Amino acid sequence: METEKLYYADPFLKNFTGKVLSCDAVKSGWAVVLDRTAFYPEGGGQPADQGSLGGVNVLDVHEKDGVIFHICEKPVEIGEIVAGILNWARRFDHMQQHSGEHILSGILCEAYYCDNVGFHMGADTVTIDYNTDISWGQALEAEQRANDYIYADVPIEITYPSREELKSIDYRSKKELTEQIRIVRFPGADCCACCGTHVLRSGQVGLVKILSCQKFRDGVRMEILCGRRALDFLSKTWEQNRAVGRRLSVKLFDTAAAVERLEGELNAAKVQQTQLEDQLFACIAAEQAGKGNVILFQPFLRPDGVRRLADAVGRTCGGLAAVFAGEGRQYQYALLRADGEDISLLVKELNTGLKGRGGGRNGLAQGSVQSDKAEIEAFFKQHS
Ligand SMILES: [Zn+2]
């Protein structure tokens, strides 16, 4: 016997009672069948409801041949009348996402002659795939129209037309449906075959926000959020921007410009740092002139700084210039022989002996080691 689907008669039904017809142990718990239910099973891109039956947690709900199975944490008594309570926040969120998706898809598919070829309601965002290229500007235009439609608070219409009536209805459908077709119409925005639960009026969607629109297969994949979930997301990003604004002492709409300015300042500082380093490295190179093999320890330097110092010293010392920059057991190194003599064997032994990684060619090698200053010095004493 098919389960009576109370969620179709009243999608806002949060509590109900039903008679337990069967309760069977399954892999993930107990599969409970009632004579009627307000629990929506997973389907049409909309996830299953959760809640409780007779005080027992309902973890998942699915449908097979018109019968709805509630996967419960514990068994319930067959023949008993149990109270069903939906996790309403979860269900209403699904209705906001689902109805919002219909409104946006209806508007987009009509404007850009495309189809919605994928729909997934994830725990974080909702993704929709369209089989045509849609630019970010076009997406935002459709978003605005979808929100205007939401503000207009249009009542939605759900009908079960006959096969004959269906022929004269222009509706979107992801696949050929063989059973009784349920048409969900958002008048003026969308008309689509759908088995999901929807809000009663477009205003209940609250808002639609497109988060991204990226090339996917032969079209685009959009990430969207609707209703409270969209508000929560936007509130979080707003908090983030507010924190950035406070750190930079600028107004909310000036954060991007302020970051750009900081970037410019940072780049200028890096150029100046390089100039100062070069002066310092020239002094060190002059000090080490003619000393043969040289090993130098420096505090932290950027990787290209380590190489530039080895380069400067290597040109004057007349032997191998080994530069180690860092502290403790973490050093970046650069080895250089200005005469271009092969140092690959030395580098190999250094990597083995000093727990390092790195390499190079033509008399230059770069890498890092996990050894302290004494161990590094002992290694070079052995290898000189
Ligand atoms: Zn749908």
Side-chain angles (χ1 to χ4, degrees):
M1 193 180 80
E2 286 198 13
T3 312
E4 189 187 342
K5 294 161 181 169
L6 301 173
Y7 48 82
Y8 280 153
D10 179 7
F12 277 75
L13 189 63
K14 306 169 184 74
N15 309 312
F16 67 101
T17 54
K19 188 176 176 186
V20 180
L21 301 183
S22 67
C23 176
D24 299 303
V26 291
K27 209 166 52 183
S28 45
W30 299 81
V32 175
V33 174
L34 305 174
D35 60 343
R36 55 185 210 155
T37 187
F39 279 90
Y40 179 75
E42 188 185 347
Q46 184 178 330
D49 284 342
Q50 291 174 355
S52 66
L53 276 183
V56 172
N57 280 341
V58 176
L59 310 169
D60 196 11
V61 186
H62 59 257
E63 178 178 358
K64 198 174 176 232
D65 302 327
V67 179
I68 292 176
F69 297 88
H70 308 77
I71 306 303
C72 295
E73 221 169 36
K74 288 187 242 168
V76 291
E77 200 70 40
I78 295 171
E80 244 179 55
I81 305 285
V82 289
I85 301 169
L86 266 66
N87 174 342
W88 182 247
R90 175 182 165 92
R91 156 66 91 70
F92 185 61
D93 168 63
H94 291 161
M95 295 192 346
Q96 285 190 314
Q97 309 309 320
H98 200 156
S99 297
E101 181 268 325
H102 272 237
I103 294 168
L104 184 67
S105 287
I107 287 169
L108 277 168
C109 294
E110 200 208 341
Y112 302 112
Y113 310 105
C114 60
D115 301 307
N116 167 349
V117 290
F119 170 47
H120 176 70
M121 220 184 272
D124 295 323
T125 61
V126 175
T127 61
I128 324 170
D129 302 335
Y130 299 102
N131 57 0
T132 193
D133 194 24
I134 297 170
S135 73
W136 183 242
Q138 288 170 328
L140 291 183
E141 213 179 287
E143 177 191 285
Q144 191 156 28
R145 283 182 56 201
N147 282 307
D148 284 340
Y149 187 81
I150 288 167
Y151 308 148
D153 200 21
V154 182
I156 86 156
E157 298 164 5
I158 293 179
T159 53
Y160 296 85
S162 66
R163 298 246 147 219
E164 206 45 45
E165 289 168 317
L166 263 180
K167 287 180 188 157
S168 61
I169 301 175
D170 183 21
Y171 66 98
R172 295 190 299 117
S173 169
K174 268 170 249 141
K175 53 183 183 218
E176 276 310 313
L177 301 160
T178 49
E179 321 151 20
Q180 168 69 68
I181 291 183
R182 181 169 175 264
I183 295 290
V184 177
R185 186 196 299 274
F186 288 81
D190 186 44
C191 184
C192 186
C194 177
C195 58
T197 56
H198 287 274
V199 296
L200 301 175
R201 303 178 69 93
S202 66
Q204 290 166 325
V205 172
L207 80 117
V208 172
K209 180 70 203 150
I210 300 174
L211 306 180
S212 69
C213 176
Q214 287 178 322
K215 289 215 175 306
F216 182 74
R217 299 210 175 119
D218 55 348
V220 292
R221 167 166 286 182
M222 274 188 199
E223 265 186 306
I224 72 159
L225 284 179
C226 304
R228 177 183 286 276
R229 221 199 278 197
L231 177 64
D232 289 347
F233 180 91
L234 294 172
S235 295
K236 272 187 201 153
T237 57
W238 179 80
E239 279 298 343
Q240 180 74 20
N241 193 35
R242 210 163 73 111
V244 171
R246 263 203 305 259
R247 296 297 288 265
L248 301 179
S249 302
V250 296
K251 290 187 180 138
L252 282 176
F253 290 108
D254 297 335
T255 49
V259 167
E260 213 175 305
R261 212 163 44 238
L262 270 186
E263 241 170 19
E265 285 171 19
L266 184 62
N267 285 335
K270 278 181 185 163
V271 168
Q272 198 186 28
Q273 185 188 357
T274 303
Q275 286 167 353
L276 290 171
E277 279 175 351
D278 283 342
Q279 287 175 22
L280 173 68
F281 297 167
C283 290
I284 297 173
E287 260 173 36
Q288 302 297 330
K291 290 198 176 166
N293 291 345
V294 167
I295 171 164
L296 292 171
F297 289 90
Q298 289 285 320
F300 176 79
L301 286 172
R302 287 175 293 161
D304 83 296
V306 185
R307 182 191 52 76
R308 280 168 28 244
L309 178 55
D311 193 53
V313 174
R315 281 171 204 288
T316 62
C317 69
L320 173 79
V323 175
F324 286 79
E327 56 177 25
R329 302 187 64 81
Q330 290 286 348
Y331 283 89
Q332 300 282 323
Y333 72 78
L335 307 181
L336 187 118
R337 277 202 73 110
D339 57 12
E341 197 178 291
D342 187 28
I343 54 169
S344 53
L345 188 66
L346 176 70
V347 172
K348 214 176 145 189
E349 285 176 358
L350 180 141
N351 285 335
T352 313
L354 297 175
K355 295 195 210 67
R357 51 195 301 174
R361 55 179 174 177
N362 300 334
L364 170 71
Q366 270 190 281
S368 60
V369 294
Q370 290 188 329
S371 294
D372 64 17
K373 191 179 171 190
E375 288 166 341
I376 295 167
E377 281 173 334
F379 173 86
F380 279 95
K381 209 167 250 170
Q382 234 177 53
H383 289 80
S384 58

